[in-house]
Amino acid sequence: MNVLYRLTATETKLFFREPTAVFFVLAFPSLLLVILGFVPPFREPNPDIGGLRVIDLYAPIVITMAVGLLSLNMLPQLFAAYREKGILRRMATTPVRPSALLGAQLAMAVTLSVGSALLILAVARLGFDVALPDNLAVYLLMYVLCLLAMLTLGLLIGSLAPTAKGAAAIGSILFFPVVFFAGLWLPREQMPEVLRRISDFTPLGAGVQSLQDATAGHWPQLLHVAVMLGWTIVAGALAARYFRWE
Amino acid sequence: MAIIEVTDLVKRYGTHTAVGGVSFAVEPGEIFGILGPNGAGKTTTVECVEGLRRPDGGSIRVCGIDPQRDRGELTQRLGAQLQASELPEKLTVREVMELYSSFYRAPADWRRLIEMLRLEDKLGTQFRRLSGGQKQRLSIALALVGDPEVAVLDELTTGLDPQARRDTWELIESIRDRGVTVLLVTHFMEEAERLCDRLALIDAGRVVAVDSPAGLVATVNDTQRLRFKPSAPLDHALLTELPEVTGVERAGTQLVVTGTGNVLHAVTTVLARNQVIAADLRVEQTTLDDAFVALTGRTLEETS
């Protein structure tokens, strides 16, 4: 435990030495929400989306976008770089297993992601009076499911990509469709039926809707829970199959 | 009693046999070299010793430990410096040492290691800002931070400038003086000759010979080599028919004559009789390189 803690602390320290990563993972999502909140019509109740305001829809969208940034744009590159540079191999010559290093990177990703989500919720609540989740326990559970699905996807990319550069490229290419279906450009409520149907089966589409449902105090749809679990299982199994230490 | 015992080690990658039955034993406190051309199976052999690769055959014992059976114990007692292994770019030397020393049951005093490796001015410097030689020394520090009984150093001086290489050699000797047994992988003759108490000559996955550098040279000691520029064209047959001469080769404008016994006198006599002057005449002593040629029929440089 001590070693895992030390490794996680070191990884986190390294993260904070990358200003670009810090900005995109921690600051950018909240900033985006602030910008959207400054668009006057987004702060007006809209009968087309059940009397909610657009800014209400964007809080969970931005939270899942932060998850996407972390798991697609940061994590795969980190994984692949540690393999490419032989850092995992060096670790294998010490009493600490290289898996501890991967565990530390995942622990860091979870911590950063939760931190980012809390920041977004605070900005949404304090800045734009967005309602806090009605069912906090369910909200948290849905958030964890969404995070798990995305982190395993990131791990899979990191396992498949031969180099850190390759991992970064695959991650950024995947990022755009994934956040599109989360509703970043067009919230799910305003998507045509076909797009919304596709979105139901993407990890962030399912994630956004589940967070939205939990915020409103409803139970999430079984389909969305199944989709997030499905992505976790499939990506996790493939990552385990293709993972290489060197 | 040997501290490292490798017996009939076999390792295949697909159909390619990288190591085909390598055996050697390293005594405590010696610097033992594994010398051979690139691709001879040196690194694969030591990676099996380090427990990083699972052998397909044979047995390995390090301090009595089977590397595949008890990795945990092995890593406490064997420190490894790997070929081309980096660290996170923005981690400082101090952070690296603090982190890695925390991995071990009874670590060495890393501050003294850093002093010994002359990195004490670099404690606050990030890995990416270290020079090649400094990175290499940090890598040695990491191999020693667990206070191991055995240190495996793989191609330590490749890519270093001559001065840094000589400094590193002194360092390896001081590691041995601390009582650490050193297993040194190299393809530099000069390095092996200077540092190793004994060495295993490896070629194409097999051990060609195990001996001290002097002992290996002695196996071909009789050979001498003459190099000179003949002042006029010379029929090689005049030289090859001499009983003392074993070989004649042309290297540019020079002739290289190898032979035994009183080859120098025999050759100069023939030259004088034919009114040929041997300009820039040099007589070369036997080296490890010659031993390698005698044992494998090839030169290290040719193969690497």
Side-chain angles (χ1 to χ4, degrees):
Chain A
M1 194 56 215
N2 185 28
V3 162
L4 189 62
Y5 171 76
R6 271 173 171 277
L7 286 171
T8 309
T10 304
E11 288 304 308
T12 310
K13 202 156 36 177
L14 286 171
F15 166 78
F16 279 103
R17 284 179 193 167
E18 300 292 344
T20 326
V22 174
F23 173 76
F24 275 104
V25 169
L26 291 182
F28 177 66
S30 300
L31 206 62
L32 184 64
L33 194 69
V34 170
I35 293 167
L36 292 170
F38 275 114
V39 180
F42 286 4
R43 294 202 306 266
E44 302 297 329
N46 185 339
D48 292 347
I49 49 175
L52 283 171
R53 301 168 305 159
V54 170
I55 192 74
D56 294 322
L57 299 182
Y58 266 104
I61 291 174
V62 169
I63 284 181
T64 60
M65 181 196 76
V67 170
L69 273 170
L70 196 91
S71 12
L72 295 180
N73 290 332
M74 188 185 98
L75 201 61
Q77 196 178 352
L78 204 57
F79 271 136
Y82 273 39
R83 180 182 58 231
E84 190 182 355
K85 288 173 185 275
I87 294 169
L88 295 177
R89 253 170 81 72
R90 190 198 295 276
M91 197 63 95
T93 69
T94 75
V96 175
R97 302 296 82 223
S99 54
L101 200 50
L102 298 190
Q105 289 179 341
L106 283 174
M108 171 186 69
V110 170
T111 314
L112 290 174
S113 171
V114 169
S116 176
L118 288 176
L119 192 64
I120 295 163
L121 281 178
V123 167
R125 176 81 187 103
L126 300 175
F128 309 103
D129 213 23
V130 173
L132 286 181
D134 213 45
N135 193 337
L136 195 63
V138 174
Y139 189 91
L140 207 66
L141 184 65
M142 291 307 116
Y143 178 74
V144 168
L145 283 183
C146 178
L147 187 58
L148 268 180
M150 291 302 291
L151 289 179
T152 44
L153 194 58
L155 182 52
L156 174 61
I157 297 169
S159 307
L160 288 177
T163 62
K165 274 198 175 127
I170 300 171
S172 351
I173 289 169
L174 267 183
F175 177 75
F176 289 100
V178 166
V179 294
F180 173 81
F181 285 113
L184 186 62
W185 286 276
L186 191 65
R188 282 170 47 86
E189 283 75 359
Q190 297 171 336
M191 279 182 190
E193 181 62 25
V194 180
L195 286 185
R196 188 158 58 235
R197 217 48 209 152
I198 299 173
S199 162
D200 280 336
F201 289 92
T202 67
L204 290 190
V208 163
Q209 193 56 54
S210 303
L211 292 180
Q212 199 102 64
D213 291 342
T215 306
H218 307 311
W219 281 98
Q221 297 174 33
L222 208 57
L223 167 69
H224 295 143
V225 174
V227 164
M228 289 189 284
L229 282 175
W231 277 96
T232 308
I233 292 166
V234 172
L238 286 175
R241 164 79 179 74
Y242 289 108
F243 187 80
R244 292 157 294 141
W245 291 112
E246 50 189 88
Chain B
M1 161 98 193
I3 194 162
I4 302 175
E5 255 187 296
V6 175
T7 316
D8 299 328
L9 175 69
V10 175
K11 178 69 192 174
R12 296 184 201 93
Y13 299 119
T15 56
H16 171 67
T17 302
V19 177
V22 161
S23 303
F24 59 86
V26 180
E27 298 301 321
E30 68 178 346
I31 299 180
F32 189 90
I34 296 191
L35 178 71
N38 292 334
K42 306 187 297 288
T43 294
T44 302
T45 300
V46 296
E47 282 177 343
C48 290
V49 170
E50 292 161 343
L52 291 176
R53 293 195 191 282
R54 179 181 290 277
D56 294 317
S59 84
I60 299 177
R61 291 289 177 278
V62 181
C63 310
I65 302 163
D66 177 345
Q68 286 302 319
R69 276 231 169 132
D70 197 354
R71 285 286 299 276
E73 187 59 24
L74 179 80
T75 52
Q76 295 281 0
R77 298 170 73 172
L78 178 144
Q81 182 269 335
L82 301 172
Q83 236 188 102
S85 171
E86 294 183 43
L87 286 160
E89 287 198 335
K90 294 195 175 177
L91 214 52
T92 67
V93 171
R94 179 186 287 108
E95 288 164 344
V96 168
M97 295 311 294
E98 279 173 353
L99 181 66
Y100 277 73
S101 67
S102 78
F103 295 167
Y104 294 90
R105 200 163 51 203
D109 179 351
W110 66 260
R111 287 180 184 278
R112 285 185 53 195
L113 270 181
I114 285 296
E115 275 169 33
M116 179 179 113
L117 292 157
R118 298 191 325 280
L119 285 169
E120 65 270 27
D121 299 338
K122 298 287 167 192
L123 281 176
T125 306
Q126 296 184 350
F127 181 73
R128 62 188 169 137
R129 302 211 187 281
L130 297 177
S131 71
Q134 289 162 349
K135 283 180 181 170
Q136 202 66 280
R137 297 209 296 276
L138 182 59
S139 184
I140 300 175
L142 288 181
L144 298 178
V145 75
D147 202 12
E149 292 160 55
V150 177
V152 181
L153 309 174
D154 193 352
E155 299 283 0
L156 197 54
T157 59
T158 303
L160 294 187
D161 61 63
Q163 183 57 47
R165 184 173 293 164
R166 250 167 247 128
D167 291 347
T168 309
W169 290 347
E170 275 175 30
L171 207 71
I172 295 170
E173 284 170 333
S174 67
I175 292 169
R176 188 253 315 270
D177 295 343
R178 289 161 61 101
V180 180
T181 305
V182 178
L183 185 59
L184 180 80
V185 175
T186 183
H187 67 269
F188 288 124
M189 284 296 171
E190 201 190 344
E191 185 165 297
E193 214 157 4
R194 152 83 195 265
L195 281 178
C196 297
D197 298 308
R198 290 189 309 136
L199 48 91
L201 219 53
I202 292 193
D203 184 41
R206 292 181 180 280
V207 175
V208 180
V210 179
D211 208 334
S212 63
L216 284 173
V217 169
T219 57
V220 287
N221 204 10
D222 225 14
T223 312
Q224 289 188 41
R225 186 184 294 144
L226 313 179
R227 278 176 185 277
F228 59 89
K229 276 185 198 160
S231 60
L234 185 71
D235 184 1
H236 289 190
L238 287 174
L239 296 174
T240 46
E241 70 193 8
L242 291 170
E244 291 91 346
V245 169
T246 53
V248 178
E249 255 180 86
R250 177 169 287 282
T253 57
Q254 288 191 328
L255 271 189
V256 181
V257 181
T258 43
T260 53
N262 208 351
V263 63
L264 178 61
H265 179 74
V267 169
T268 47
T269 306
V270 169
L271 293 180
R273 197 186 305 139
N274 292 281
Q275 278 107 41
V276 175
I277 295 165
D280 299 337
L281 174 67
R282 277 183 300 149
V283 182
E284 288 171 4
Q285 291 297 321
T286 318
T287 63
L288 262 184
D289 217 354
D290 300 312
F292 188 84
V293 174
L295 290 162
T296 67
R298 304 183 283 150
T299 72
L300 260 185
E301 279 69 27
E302 258 170 38
T303 48
S304 60

